[in-house]
Amino acid sequence: MEKFRDFRIARSGDGMTLNFRAGLCSYGEFLNSGGVYRALGFNGIGYDLGVGKMVNEYAITDLEERCAFILELDGQSLVSGWEFAGHEQSEADGVLNVRISLKHKKRPVSAVVCTKMDGSGCFSRWLEVTNLSDKS
């Protein structure tokens, strides 16, 4: 039996939801209009997270507790200020690879959130950060 894996982006509320599903495990993230890339959490029944009114339940409090990742540049927290710069999706050997590209609105940095899903209910994730300034 082939293992199920899926990725979807949907406009929702004041931003966009990004949902990753592998088997019955679903993980959701939300990029709001303020550029905060937030983790919505996991569920084990395969439903997308953050669609409809559900996104509004995630108040903009305790930002760092809900961020999908936390970066700091020159002592400045980059919790907010991200904008969606695109995504790539490919499949090879039964593994779905998704790359979400983000660019910071005020600082010279970009990030790519990488996710691999093989359908087993487990995700492999990492972050690729690029310094876009002329300083090293």
Side-chain angles (χ1 to χ4, degrees), residues 63-117:
L63 288 180
E64 290 188 356
E65 289 183 22
R66 284 245 181 230
C67 285
F69 62 88
I70 297 173
L71 285 179
E72 188 176 294
L73 180 64
D74 297 328
Q76 178 186 7
S77 174
L78 302 182
V79 169
S80 63
W82 295 100
E83 61 186 0
F84 183 74
H87 83 285
E88 297 174 16
Q89 188 173 325
S90 64
E91 191 163 350
D93 299 323
V95 175
L96 180 61
N97 300 292
V98 178
R99 298 172 55 85
I100 307 298
S101 298
L102 304 169
K103 186 172 181 188
H104 201 269
K105 295 175 186 177
K106 296 183 179 180
R107 298 303 307 257
V109 64
S110 66
V112 179
V113 182
C114 304
T115 306
K116 280 189 173 191
M117 299 172 281

